[in-house]
Amino acid sequence: TNPELRCMMLHNRFAGDALKKVDRFYEAGIEMNGQIVLCKGVNDGAELERSISDMSKYLPHLRSVSVVPVGLSKYREGLYPLEPFTKEEAQQVLATIHKWQEKLFPEYGLHFIHASDEWYILAEEELPQEEQYDGYLQLENGVGMLRLLLDEFAEAMEEDRINGRQARAKHITLATGRLAYRFIKQMAKQMGERYEGLQIDVIAIRNDFFGEMITVSGLLTGQDIMAQLKDRDLGEKLLLPQNVLKSGEPVFLDDYTLDDIEKALQVRIDIVKSSGRDFIEAILSD
């Protein structure tokens, strides 16, 4: 929200006027949600404190603000020299966010400022509980996505246990991005322990196309999946998360299709939708 810094970052001399537009929305009582893309050494530290402070004045009409780390692909020639955040720096970002949540929640009943899931993984800290996400206002920005998945999964597993659900023995493979790998591996392990004879291999796909610092599954390409899974025993089928495909199309970001991948790997591919129940059904279905 620092006008001079904002103009520099966006390389636009008019960018500093943005808050005047937010003022008009606020005065009209229009509900808003915001996002801070955090760049190391640029708008973090004291500038992050300033941005949160400035935006908190728009409560309650500004319902939430997410803080996400800038995505750094390998295609950065001629661009501003940005570096990834370290574990310790991620912990500092989370400390700032949690401090503001504790300050604002008692007055507004909203935690307001939210860290995307990447920060908790990078900082090696536990994910917040569901109630801290204020109804998952920033889910599409990767805020609370893993918490929601884990909670839905646990609930569905308990339902199946109560109902005495059984499953046949089989071997399947799950491929995902490196960001969610630990959590997907944990869920697969629980299913393997619950259903006798169920073997689930979970493989984290390295993003060679955009660069190793891109770790979300939504930016994986068909060619990276094919290259890293070839010559492996994938079992009866390969499961891929829904967000590896373009919306409404069986096509990856690099224009490979699901058919291309199936033919190259000689395995049936099923797509896993986003919920914890969908995860279980995709694994157990024939």
Side-chain angles (χ1 to χ4, degrees), residues 3-16 80:
E4 293 78 19
L5 179 59
R6 186 176 172 85
C7 289
M8 184 276 284
M9 292 182 73
L10 295 177
H11 199 59
N12 180 342
R13 69 181 188 277
F14 302 112
Y80 191 90

Side-chain angles (χ1 to χ4, degrees), residues 5 41 67 91 96 105 115 140 146-147 150 153 156 159-160 166 174 189 207 223 237-238 251 255 273 280 283:
L5 179 59
V67 180
Q91 290 172 339
T96 297
F105 184 78
E140 281 121 357
L146 287 171
R147 168 52 61 202
L150 292 172
F153 173 77
E159 285 176 6
D160 286 357
Q166 300 299 313
L174 264 161
K189 182 174 181 287
N207 199 322
Q223 59 195 271
K237 62 180 177 181
L238 169 65
V251 180
D255 290 331
K273 294 179 182 177
I280 294 172
I283 288 173

Side-chain angles (χ1 to χ4, degrees), residues 136-143 145:
Y136 297 111
L137 294 168
Q138 291 269 354
L139 199 61
E140 281 121 357
N141 285 329
V143 177
M145 199 172 283

Side-chain angles (χ1 to χ4, degrees), residues 21 30 34 36 40 48 56 76 85 101-102 107 133 138 145 161 170 189-190 194-195 198 248 254 256 277:
K21 299 179 177 68
I30 293 172
I36 298 172
K40 180 176 174 177
L48 175 60
S56 69
R76 296 199 51 79
F85 287 88
Q101 288 180 337
E102 290 169 8
E107 184 175 354
Y133 288 107
Q138 291 269 354
M145 199 172 283
R161 186 193 65 78
K170 59 179 161 181
K189 182 174 181 287
Q190 290 179 45
R194 165 73 173 79
Y195 300 104
L198 184 61
D254 55 353
Y256 280 92
R277 167 56 74 185

Side-chain angles (χ1 to χ4, degrees), residues 222 226 238 240 245 249-252 255-271:
M226 285 189 293
L238 169 65
L240 297 175
L245 301 176
E249 297 180 74
V251 180
F252 294 82
D255 290 331
Y256 280 92
T257 67
L258 272 181
D259 285 344
D260 294 333
I261 311 299
E262 284 188 328
K263 289 173 184 173
L265 298 177
Q266 290 294 292
V267 68
R268 177 181 132 210
I269 297 178
D270 282 353
I271 298 300

